[in-house]
Short mmCIF file of all heavy atoms in Angstrom, two decimals:
data_model
loop_
_atom_site.label_atom_id
_atom_site.label_comp_id
_atom_site.label_asym_id
_atom_site.label_seq_id
_atom_site.Cartn_x
_atom_site.Cartn_y
_atom_site.Cartn_z
N ILE A 16 -52.63 19.87 -26.16
CA ILE A 16 -53.28 21.19 -26.08
C ILE A 16 -54.38 21.18 -25.03
O ILE A 16 -54.51 22.12 -24.25
CB ILE A 16 -53.83 21.58 -27.47
CG1 ILE A 16 -52.68 21.78 -28.46
CG2 ILE A 16 -54.69 22.84 -27.38
CD1 ILE A 16 -53.11 21.88 -29.91
N GLN A 132 -19.78 23.74 -7.90
CA GLN A 132 -20.61 23.86 -6.69
C GLN A 132 -20.69 25.34 -6.30
O GLN A 132 -19.70 26.06 -6.40
CB GLN A 132 -20.03 23.05 -5.53
CG GLN A 132 -20.23 21.56 -5.64
CD GLN A 132 -19.70 20.81 -4.42
OE1 GLN A 132 -18.85 21.33 -3.70
NE2 GLN A 132 -20.19 19.61 -4.20
N PHE A 165 -29.50 32.13 -10.02
CA PHE A 165 -28.61 33.29 -10.01
C PHE A 165 -27.57 33.13 -8.90
O PHE A 165 -27.88 32.68 -7.80
CB PHE A 165 -29.39 34.58 -9.78
CG PHE A 165 -30.27 34.99 -10.93
CD1 PHE A 165 -31.53 34.45 -11.09
CD2 PHE A 165 -29.81 35.92 -11.86
CE1 PHE A 165 -32.33 34.83 -12.16
CE2 PHE A 165 -30.60 36.30 -12.92
CZ PHE A 165 -31.88 35.76 -13.07
N TYR A 196 -12.89 34.42 -37.31
CA TYR A 196 -12.50 35.70 -36.70
C TYR A 196 -11.08 36.08 -37.08
O TYR A 196 -10.75 37.28 -37.17
CB TYR A 196 -12.64 35.63 -35.18
CG TYR A 196 -14.06 35.80 -34.69
CD1 TYR A 196 -14.58 34.95 -33.71
CD2 TYR A 196 -14.88 36.80 -35.20
CE1 TYR A 196 -15.88 35.09 -33.25
CE2 TYR A 196 -16.19 36.95 -34.76
CZ TYR A 196 -16.69 36.09 -33.79
OH TYR A 196 -17.98 36.24 -33.35
N ALA A 252 -21.26 14.87 -54.49
CA ALA A 252 -19.80 14.72 -54.39
C ALA A 252 -19.40 13.26 -54.24
O ALA A 252 -18.43 12.80 -54.87
CB ALA A 252 -19.29 15.54 -53.21
N ALA A 269 -24.70 9.84 -42.05
CA ALA A 269 -23.82 9.92 -40.88
C ALA A 269 -23.25 11.33 -40.71
O ALA A 269 -23.20 11.86 -39.58
CB ALA A 269 -22.68 8.90 -41.01
N TYR A 304 -41.49 5.88 -49.94
CA TYR A 304 -41.39 7.00 -49.00
C TYR A 304 -42.63 7.88 -49.12
O TYR A 304 -42.99 8.33 -50.21
CB TYR A 304 -40.13 7.82 -49.30
CG TYR A 304 -39.97 9.05 -48.42
CD1 TYR A 304 -39.57 8.92 -47.10
CD2 TYR A 304 -40.21 10.32 -48.93
CE1 TYR A 304 -39.40 10.04 -46.29
CE2 TYR A 304 -40.05 11.45 -48.13
CZ TYR A 304 -39.64 11.30 -46.81
OH TYR A 304 -39.48 12.40 -46.02
N LEU A 338 -44.54 21.19 -44.42
CA LEU A 338 -45.83 20.68 -44.90
C LEU A 338 -46.29 21.43 -46.14
O LEU A 338 -46.83 20.82 -47.08
CB LEU A 338 -46.87 20.81 -43.79
CG LEU A 338 -48.27 20.24 -44.08
CD1 LEU A 338 -48.20 18.75 -44.38
CD2 LEU A 338 -49.19 20.50 -42.91
N PHE A 370 -49.21 29.69 -46.56
CA PHE A 370 -49.47 28.56 -45.68
C PHE A 370 -48.96 28.82 -44.26
O PHE A 370 -49.56 28.36 -43.28
CB PHE A 370 -48.82 27.29 -46.25
CG PHE A 370 -49.39 26.02 -45.70
CD1 PHE A 370 -50.52 25.45 -46.26
CD2 PHE A 370 -48.79 25.38 -44.62
CE1 PHE A 370 -51.05 24.27 -45.76
CE2 PHE A 370 -49.32 24.21 -44.11
CZ PHE A 370 -50.45 23.65 -44.69
N MET A 385 -42.24 41.46 -49.01
CA MET A 385 -41.11 41.46 -49.95
C MET A 385 -40.21 40.25 -49.76
O MET A 385 -39.24 40.07 -50.50
CB MET A 385 -40.31 42.75 -49.78
CG MET A 385 -41.07 44.01 -50.15
SD MET A 385 -41.47 44.06 -51.91
CE MET A 385 -39.85 44.32 -52.61
N GLY A 446 -42.92 44.98 -45.55
CA GLY A 446 -43.97 44.09 -45.09
C GLY A 446 -45.00 44.87 -44.29
O GLY A 446 -44.97 46.10 -44.24
N MET A 452 -54.23 36.01 -35.37
CA MET A 452 -55.49 35.40 -35.80
C MET A 452 -56.07 34.57 -34.65
O MET A 452 -55.35 33.92 -33.91
CB MET A 452 -55.25 34.50 -37.01
CG MET A 452 -54.75 35.26 -38.25
SD MET A 452 -54.21 34.16 -39.60
CE MET A 452 -55.78 33.48 -40.12
N ILE A 496 -70.82 39.53 -40.27
CA ILE A 496 -72.04 39.88 -39.53
C ILE A 496 -71.77 39.95 -38.03
O ILE A 496 -72.15 40.91 -37.36
CB ILE A 496 -73.15 38.86 -39.83
CG1 ILE A 496 -73.55 38.94 -41.31
CG2 ILE A 496 -74.37 39.11 -38.94
CD1 ILE A 496 -74.56 37.90 -41.74
N GLY A 514 -47.10 47.62 -11.79
CA GLY A 514 -47.58 48.73 -12.61
C GLY A 514 -49.02 48.52 -13.01
O GLY A 514 -49.70 47.63 -12.47
N ASP A 529 -53.60 54.02 -18.46
CA ASP A 529 -52.31 53.75 -17.81
C ASP A 529 -51.50 52.73 -18.60
O ASP A 529 -52.05 51.76 -19.16
CB ASP A 529 -52.49 53.30 -16.37
CG ASP A 529 -52.74 54.49 -15.43
OD1 ASP A 529 -52.33 55.61 -15.79
OD2 ASP A 529 -53.35 54.30 -14.37
N HIS A 562 -51.52 59.61 -13.68
CA HIS A 562 -50.56 60.58 -13.17
C HIS A 562 -49.18 60.12 -13.62
O HIS A 562 -49.03 59.03 -14.18
CB HIS A 562 -50.64 60.71 -11.65
CG HIS A 562 -50.30 59.45 -10.90
ND1 HIS A 562 -50.99 58.27 -11.07
CD2 HIS A 562 -49.33 59.20 -9.98
CE1 HIS A 562 -50.46 57.34 -10.29
NE2 HIS A 562 -49.45 57.88 -9.62
N ARG A 610 -72.97 53.40 -26.59
CA ARG A 610 -73.35 52.91 -25.26
C ARG A 610 -72.27 53.17 -24.21
O ARG A 610 -72.50 52.97 -23.02
CB ARG A 610 -73.65 51.41 -25.31
CG ARG A 610 -74.84 51.03 -26.19
CD ARG A 610 -74.95 49.51 -26.27
NE ARG A 610 -76.00 49.09 -27.17
CZ ARG A 610 -77.26 48.90 -26.80
NH1 ARG A 610 -77.62 49.07 -25.55
NH2 ARG A 610 -78.16 48.52 -27.69
N ASN A 699 -41.10 45.36 -3.04
CA ASN A 699 -40.63 45.50 -1.65
C ASN A 699 -41.40 46.57 -0.89
O ASN A 699 -40.95 47.07 0.13
CB ASN A 699 -39.13 45.85 -1.64
CG ASN A 699 -38.28 44.77 -2.28
OD1 ASN A 699 -38.51 43.58 -2.04
ND2 ASN A 699 -37.33 45.17 -3.09
N ILE A 730 -65.64 41.05 -20.46
CA ILE A 730 -66.54 41.33 -21.58
C ILE A 730 -67.87 41.79 -21.00
O ILE A 730 -68.50 41.08 -20.22
CB ILE A 730 -66.76 40.08 -22.46
CG1 ILE A 730 -65.43 39.57 -23.02
CG2 ILE A 730 -67.73 40.39 -23.60
CD1 ILE A 730 -65.53 38.26 -23.77
N TYR A 749 -69.73 32.39 -17.86
CA TYR A 749 -68.91 32.52 -19.07
C TYR A 749 -69.36 31.57 -20.18
O TYR A 749 -69.22 31.88 -21.37
CB TYR A 749 -67.43 32.29 -18.73
CG TYR A 749 -66.49 32.79 -19.80
CD1 TYR A 749 -66.16 34.14 -19.86
CD2 TYR A 749 -65.95 31.93 -20.75
CE1 TYR A 749 -65.29 34.62 -20.84
CE2 TYR A 749 -65.09 32.40 -21.72
CZ TYR A 749 -64.76 33.75 -21.77
OH TYR A 749 -63.92 34.22 -22.75
N ILE A 769 -80.42 21.62 -45.30
CA ILE A 769 -81.75 21.57 -45.95
C ILE A 769 -81.62 21.98 -47.41
O ILE A 769 -82.20 21.35 -48.31
CB ILE A 769 -82.74 22.47 -45.19
CG1 ILE A 769 -83.03 21.89 -43.80
CG2 ILE A 769 -84.04 22.64 -45.99
CD1 ILE A 769 -83.80 22.83 -42.90
N LYS A 775 -80.06 18.59 -54.11
CA LYS A 775 -79.71 17.26 -54.64
C LYS A 775 -80.95 16.52 -55.11
O LYS A 775 -80.94 15.82 -56.11
CB LYS A 775 -78.97 16.45 -53.57
CG LYS A 775 -77.49 16.77 -53.47
CD LYS A 775 -76.78 15.73 -52.63
CE LYS A 775 -75.27 15.89 -52.74
NZ LYS A 775 -74.56 14.84 -52.01
#
Side-chain angles (χ1 to χ4, degrees):
I16 294 168
Q132 285 183 338
F165 290 83
Y196 281 135
Y304 177 75
L338 184 60
F370 199 85
M385 295 295 290
M452 297 171 70
I496 295 175
D529 280 336
H562 63 301
R610 297 174 184 271
N699 298 317
I730 301 174
Y749 197 81
I769 292 170
K775 278 192 170 184

